[in-house]
């Protein structure tokens, strides 16, 4: 049995992309009722797709968040069903007009996130690589797209966080580090571009989340958490239902200098029972809040 020593205050949020069967107004109430401190807001239908959001919506959501005592942990600008799908259009499309759709979406998301009070938005790590496109071409397009929106991140005061994901341009820790070398010495990028650390994603590609938490010490800007089965197939499970070693992960995280503090549970795979899994995830993770194992 592990003992726990208080080191830093982790704050627990729940991602609204598990609650797409509800409006964002309803999701805010459901997340608060489940006992969470924060909510990650999906900037895509049916919640807060920027072209569909009106000033009165923002005002109403902010009032409801305040009333229910919820903060916004992060805004999810990864999914793009409002135009085409989860990964499309991506930063790495062959067609520059399609790349521009992702760029403009991200620009709008940064400014909407600021209005919602979010410190970060998360985005895909480049996207799928099409046949005939080299990794270098895809990375060049991704870099150019990111550079074009960094002034918006700075103006909005919202950090843009890259989320490594299985099957996309950047899957692994080393790939993220290699890509970020492109921004070495760029003060604007160092301040406004960062890492969305998805625990399950690293596990899916054969990496140890605890080792990566150590590797990225002081460089993690938001965390999404879920469990993954032993076969490492990319299917989000309720923490505790898979095989990730969360004791080891939180032991490292507690000493990693993670200043944001937000840990967002992401269980979009369970839309049909979002309320149940939100409650179960919180019950499992409570032992780690504000603590790190010794």
């Amino acid at each position: 049995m592990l003992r726990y020593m208080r080191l830093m205050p982790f704050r627990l949020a729940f991602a609204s992309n598990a609650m797409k069967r509800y409006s964002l107004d309803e999701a805010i109430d459901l997340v608060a009722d489940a006992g969470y401190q924060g909510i990650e807001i999906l900037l895509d239908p049916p919640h807060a797709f920027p072209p569909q959001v009106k000033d009165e919506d923002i005002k109403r959501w902010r009032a409801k968040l305040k009333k229910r005592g919820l903060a916004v942990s992060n805004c999810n600008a990864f999914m793009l069903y409002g135009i085409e799908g989860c990964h499309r259009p991506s930063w790495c499309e062959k067609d520059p007009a399609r790349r521009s759709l992702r760029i403009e979406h991200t620009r709008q998301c940064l400014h909407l996130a600021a209005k919602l009070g979010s410190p970060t938005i998360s985005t895909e790590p480049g996207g799928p690589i099409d046949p005939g496109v080299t990794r270098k071409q895809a990375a060049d397009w991704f870099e150019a797209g990111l550079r074009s929106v960094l002034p918006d991140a700075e103006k909005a005061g919202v950090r843009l966080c890259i989320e490594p994901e299985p099957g996309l341009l950047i899957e692994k820790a080393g790939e993220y580090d290699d890509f970020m070398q492109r921004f070495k010495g760029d003060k604007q990028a160092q301040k406004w571009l960062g890492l969305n650390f998805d625990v399950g994603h690293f596990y899916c590609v054969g990496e140890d989340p605890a080792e990566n938490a150590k590797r990225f010490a002081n460089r993690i800007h938001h965390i999404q958490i879920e469990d993954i089965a032993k076969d490492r197939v990319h299917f989000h499970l309720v923490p505790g239902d898979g095989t990730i070693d969360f004791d080891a992960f939180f032991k490292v995280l507690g000493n990693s200098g993670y200043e944001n503090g937000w840990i967002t549970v992401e269980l979009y795979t369970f839309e049909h029972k979002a309320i149940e899994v939100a409650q179960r995830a919180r019950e499992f993770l409570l032992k780690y809040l504000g603590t790190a194992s010794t």
Side-chain angles (χ1 to χ4, degrees):
M1 185 73 177
L2 291 172
R3 294 184 299 108
Y4 293 93
M5 178 178 69
R6 185 173 183 84
L7 291 179
M8 63 182 298
F10 299 126
R11 297 176 292 170
L12 196 60
F14 191 79
S16 77
N17 63 2
M19 295 181 169
K20 288 185 284 187
R21 299 188 181 191
Y22 304 92
S23 69
L24 181 54
D25 295 81
E26 293 170 323
I28 290 170
D29 281 329
L30 291 170
V31 171
D33 289 344
Y36 285 82
Q37 297 165 286
I39 183 171
E40 176 185 281
I41 295 178
L42 175 64
L43 301 188
D44 202 39
H47 289 167
F49 185 49
Q52 299 172 352
V53 173
K54 301 176 181 178
D55 289 342
E56 53 263 38
D57 295 323
I58 297 170
K59 183 177 180 180
R60 185 180 69 256
W61 292 331
R62 287 183 64 97
K64 181 175 280 288
L65 288 164
K66 182 177 181 180
K67 180 180 180 181
R68 296 309 311 267
L70 285 183
V72 180
S73 63
N74 178 58
C75 281
N76 183 335
F78 191 119
M79 298 176 176
L80 198 36
Y81 288 99
I83 296 178
E84 185 172 330
C86 183
H87 301 137
R88 302 284 195 175
S90 78
W91 299 93
C92 299
E93 303 285 350
K94 286 184 180 180
D95 182 351
R98 285 175 55 76
R99 295 199 298 271
S100 293
L101 292 173
R102 170 63 69 169
I103 290 167
E104 181 57 29
H105 172 67
T106 306
R107 183 174 287 114
Q108 292 178 15
C109 286
L110 285 162
H111 294 290
L112 177 54
K115 294 176 183 178
L116 293 170
S118 178
T120 57
I121 69 169
S122 51
T123 190
E124 61 165 24
I129 303 176
D130 290 328
V133 175
T134 67
R135 287 190 61 83
K136 183 181 184 305
Q137 283 177 316
D140 287 347
W141 291 334
F142 188 25
E143 177 190 355
L146 291 173
R147 288 191 183 280
S148 72
V149 300
L150 283 177
D152 291 274
E154 183 173 27
K155 184 176 181 180
V158 175
R159 192 186 300 270
L160 174 58
C161 296
I162 298 169
E163 180 184 336
E165 168 150 333
L168 303 187
L169 176 65
I170 299 172
E171 299 181 292
K172 298 186 175 183
E175 292 170 344
Y176 175 82
D177 274 340
D178 289 345
F179 179 75
M180 291 301 289
Q181 282 296 309
R182 292 166 172 257
F183 299 92
K184 187 176 181 179
D186 185 330
K187 292 182 179 180
Q188 185 182 57
Q190 288 173 1
K191 185 170 183 179
W192 299 109
L193 187 63
L195 173 65
N196 183 62
F197 188 112
D198 189 298
V199 177
H201 289 181
F202 284 127
Y203 188 77
C204 285
V205 297
E207 298 188 339
D208 181 356
E211 287 300 313
N212 281 352
K214 184 185 301 182
R215 176 179 188 147
F216 291 121
N218 298 306
R219 292 191 289 151
I220 300 172
H221 300 103
H222 178 252
I223 291 172
Q224 290 171 332
I225 198 167
E226 68 279 336
D227 215 337
I228 299 293
K230 185 178 181 179
D231 59 13
R232 298 186 186 246
V233 170
H234 185 199
F235 185 88
H236 291 205
L237 298 174
V238 178
D241 286 359
T243 54
I244 292 178
D245 186 346
F246 288 110
D247 286 328
F249 173 71
F250 278 98
K251 179 179 181 178
V252 174
L253 185 65
N255 294 284
S256 70
Y258 179 48
E259 296 180 354
N260 181 323
W262 281 115
I263 298 173
T264 297
V265 176
E266 189 183 29
L267 295 173
Y268 61 86
T269 41
F270 291 96
E271 283 184 47
H272 59 295
K273 50 181 179 180
I275 299 170
E276 174 193 330
V277 297
Q279 293 170 338
R280 286 210 296 117
R282 179 178 176 274
E283 288 170 4
F284 176 82
L285 293 168
L286 275 177
K287 61 184 176 181
Y288 300 112
L289 298 183
T291 64
S293 56
T294 59

